[in-house]
Structures are given as C-alpha cells and as structure tokens.
Amino acid sequence: MEDGDYNSSAAYDSDYLDGYDSVMILEESSPLEAKVARIFLVVIYSIVCFLGILGNGLVIVIATFKMKKTVNTVWFLNLAVADFLFNVFLPIHIAYAAMDYHWVFGTAMCKISNFLLIHNMYTSVFLLTIISFDRCISVLLPVWSQNHRSIRLAYMACMVIWVLAFFLSSPSLVFRDTVNLHGKIACFNNFNLSAPGPSSSFAHFQLHPVGQRWHMVVTLTRFLCGFLVPVFIITACYLTIVCKLHRNRLAKTKKPFKIIVTIIITFFLCWCPYHAIYLLELYHKAIPGTVFSLGLPLATAIAIANSCMNPILYVFMGQDFKKFKVAFFSRLVNALSEDTGHSSYPSHRSFTKMSSMNEKSSMNEKETSML
C-alpha cells in the first residue's frame, strides 16, 4: 500500500485514536493535505527543538552557575528545566512526523513522550500560578513576605509542583499505546486498555462505557487543572495586585510586571487551542472532520512552541534590551533576576532591581532617597 493510500484511507476515530502526536489525517483528507501537515509539523518542531534546547539550556546554566540564588531565579530555573526536558525528547516527534507517522520507538517511549508534553504543561502552569501568588502575597503582606519568603520555601513549593504534575500526567503512562495499522505503527490513546486488532481502520472500533468515562475524565481534568483553574487564580492575583498598587500609588512603573505577565499570556494563548480541540473531541460526531484535520496539527504545534518561548521573552523584554551595547547574556541575567516581590513597601528593595550586579547601587540609591 502506498503512503498516499494510507493517509487518504486511514479513518480517524477520536473515541479511540487521539490525534496529538500521531496526527492521523481524516479519511476525507487528501494525500496532499496530509503531506503539507507533516511538513508543517516537521519544520515547526525542528525550530522549536533548536531554540528550546539552546535557550532553556542557557537559562539553566546562567541561573545555576552565574547568578546569586533568589526566589525569582528558582522559579525561572524550574520553568526552564521543565521546558528543556520536553525539548530533549522533541526529536522523537520530529522523526515520527517525518516517517509518515510510523512509530518505531516502542510502546514505552510512546508513553514517555506524551507524558513529558503533559507534564511540561502542568509544571509550567503550576509554576506560573505560584509565581502570581508569590507576587500577590508580597504586595498584600510585605512585612510577612520579607520575613518568610525564602529560597528553601521556593524549592519546597517547586518539589510539590513537580510531584503533583507527575500524578496528573500519569494517565499518559497508563493509556498511551501503540498499534499496527496498515503496516505502520501508530502511537495513540487507548482508553479501553485493549488492542483493536489488525483492522484496516479504527472506524469500527468503539469505546466501552468505562473507556468513554476515562476519556472524559482525562480531558476535563487537563482542562480544569491545566487551564481553567490556573487562569482564575492568576487573574485574581494580578487584579488584586493592580488594585492594591493603584489604591496606594506604590507602583511608579509597569516594567517589573512586563516579563511575567507576558509569559503568562503567552502560555495561555499557546495552550488554549490545544484544550479547545480536545474538548471538541469529546463531541466529535457533531463536529466537521476538517476541524480536526486542520486544527489538530496547528493546535499541537502552537502548544509545543510554548516550550521555547520563555528564553526569547527574557531577552526581548529585559529592561536593557534597547541598549544594544548590552551583551546577550546580560539581558538574560537582567530578566531572570528581575524581582518584583518586595516593591510594595517603602523599606523593601526597589521594584526595578534587575540583577545582583545592580543590587548594591540600587540599595544605595534607596538609602539616599530616604535621607
């Protein structure tokens, strides 16, 4: 059977085969559409992989060896590690798409690769949520924050986040499976935990009632815990911060919020299409097939692209970016060391302190102003 025949005849049954990394083309899709989708994914994945490994690797090295440890650097370091781990495994997805969705890496790697994507999503969103909560507490309770906000507490919070993300991502280790279809091996979500057999398509395979429930539970849990609830908490935190600072007129500049707010907005813009597609998948029989044939590759590519975004944002949004004489590494350091945690109280450090190299001069300026 030719590759074109495989792509044009393969039926997409979203009750059984979830389209994340296999990106199975709907039976009404033409071979040309299938080929364009594959090329698109290979190109996007390759760019994301290169930028993600390079950018997040630099952040990890700089935050670990070149900077003074602060609560802020702990947050950014963990964000970078989560993204880096996923980027390291991204070449597997590149090869999968390049080989016309033929999975040659085994069932264990099928489970692990999808687990890392979902784990990256949970770890990132939980870290962004705890960062927002940290900022909110620092503004509302500045004295308490100064006395109790510590690096040790930040590391403990990160440990809890990683463990929680592991358990929430564990369905990938259970349900992810491989099957031989038309002489090619597909990596998919097997919510029935049973093999469909060597049929020519998935069209005749239906989920059992238990499998349907698992499908809905996993999808809704990812949406609620990985998107909706964090959006609510983060929005509440920043609305509280803005109201507090506006009421007390404590914020003289919006720059300290720029990087973290932009990271948060970028995260949710990247993951919103992904969650929307999988919510629609629960009602796939009422949705036109083209929504999935076009939406799945695009939504997946956008979600994966988020894993390389943060280092780019650190560089382009650092306060020294407009000073073109400042070195690339300096911009990274400035962005990572930006600390807004104690700015809401006059006796605390300045909102605009950018790096440990500037700390002494910033403190001196503050002491002079107090005199």
Side-chain angles (χ1 to χ4, degrees):
M1 181 175 292
E2 298 294 330
D3 288 350
D5 295 335
Y6 167 76
N7 284 321
S8 60
S9 64
Y12 174 92
D13 190 328
S14 78
D15 277 341
Y16 188 73
L17 182 65
D18 116 74
Y20 155 57
D21 47 24
S22 55
V23 194
M24 297 294 291
I25 305 302
L26 301 184
E27 53 189 355
E28 63 264 29
S29 298
S30 68
L32 179 60
E33 290 174 336
K35 186 175 182 179
V36 170
R38 285 197 301 111
I39 294 174
F40 170 77
L41 287 180
V42 169
V43 172
I44 296 298
Y45 287 6
S46 299
I47 294 173
V48 170
C49 182
F50 174 77
L51 294 178
I53 290 177
L54 178 62
N56 289 299
L58 283 174
V59 171
I60 292 170
V61 170
I62 291 173
T64 303
F65 302 106
K66 302 294 183 180
M67 294 181 63
K68 178 182 177 181
K69 288 292 183 294
T70 66
V71 171
N72 217 43
T73 56
V74 171
W75 302 140
F76 287 125
L77 175 60
N78 278 267
L79 275 173
V81 170
D83 289 335
F84 185 82
L85 285 176
F86 175 70
N87 289 135
V88 167
F89 282 83
L90 196 50
I92 294 177
H93 300 279
I94 298 173
Y96 186 35
M99 291 188 294
D100 202 13
Y101 313 117
H102 178 44
W103 188 266
V104 297
F105 307 104
T107 303
M109 193 56 68
C110 172
K111 295 175 181 289
I112 293 171
S113 61
N114 188 254
F115 167 83
L116 286 173
L117 173 72
I118 305 304
H119 188 272
N120 172 259
M121 176 194 73
Y122 279 125
T123 305
S124 297
V125 74
F126 291 161
L127 283 167
L128 294 176
T129 304
I130 198 68
I131 289 172
S132 304
F133 186 74
D134 176 45
R135 298 290 188 269
C136 187
I137 292 298
S138 296
V139 169
L140 294 179
L141 304 171
V143 176
W144 183 93
S145 179
Q146 186 182 41
N147 294 330
H148 296 86
R149 188 175 182 264
S150 65
I151 296 174
R152 181 174 176 272
L153 188 61
Y155 274 118
M156 290 177 61
C158 289
M159 186 180 300
V160 171
I161 285 172
W162 281 83
V163 172
L164 181 60
F166 176 87
F167 283 109
L168 288 172
S169 307
S170 59
S172 293
L173 300 176
V174 177
F175 297 112
R176 207 67 176 170
D177 201 357
T178 57
V179 69
N180 193 314
L181 176 67
H182 299 298
K184 295 184 178 181
I185 300 173
C187 176
F188 68 104
N189 279 335
N190 184 356
F191 291 106
N192 276 353
L193 295 177
S194 62
S199 60
S200 60
S201 75
F202 287 97
H204 302 294
F205 185 89
Q206 296 295 326
L207 279 177
H208 300 315
V210 174
Q212 291 175 350
R213 285 196 293 271
W214 275 118
H215 186 196
M216 180 161 297
V217 167
V218 170
T219 301
L220 292 180
T221 299
R222 287 178 183 174
F223 175 66
L224 292 174
C225 297
F227 192 81
L228 190 60
V229 173
V231 165
F232 177 79
I233 295 174
I234 290 172
T235 302
C237 286
Y238 276 96
L239 285 177
T240 302
I241 291 172
V242 170
C243 291
K244 175 72 173 180
L245 296 182
H246 179 72
R247 184 167 62 250
N248 295 342
R249 297 182 180 180
L250 295 172
K252 296 181 180 179
T253 176
K254 295 180 180 179
K255 287 182 179 179
F257 288 108
K258 263 200 317 187
I259 290 180
I260 187 59
V261 170
T262 304
I263 290 172
I264 291 169
I265 292 173
T266 301
F267 177 90
F268 288 114
L269 288 179
C270 286
W271 282 97
C272 184
Y274 180 89
H275 289 290
I277 285 290
Y278 280 95
L279 287 175
L280 290 175
E281 192 184 37
L282 293 174
Y283 307 98
H284 66 282
K285 294 179 181 178
I287 306 296
T290 52
V291 172
F292 298 103
S293 63
L294 298 176
L296 279 170
L298 182 60
T300 302
I302 293 173
I304 285 178
N306 183 253
S307 65
C308 75
M309 292 289 190
N310 291 350
I312 298 173
L313 295 175
Y314 299 154
V315 174
F316 279 85
M317 297 199 66
Q319 288 187 358
D320 287 335
F321 177 72
K322 293 180 181 179
K323 300 177 182 178
F324 291 99
K325 293 182 180 180
V326 177
F328 174 84
F329 292 104
S330 237
R331 294 171 192 165
L332 272 179
V333 171
N334 288 339
L336 294 175
S337 59
E338 183 175 354
D339 190 359
T340 66
H342 303 297
S343 59
S344 62
Y345 199 71
S347 64
H348 289 179
R349 286 176 293 178
S350 171
F351 239 143
T352 58
K353 191 191 78 169
M354 291 301 296
S355 70
S356 58
M357 294 182 293
N358 297 345
E359 184 175 357
K360 185 174 181 180
S361 60
S362 297
M363 295 299 293
N364 288 338
E365 289 175 4
K366 187 178 69 175
E367 290 173 359
T368 301
S369 66
M370 291 177 67
L371 292 174

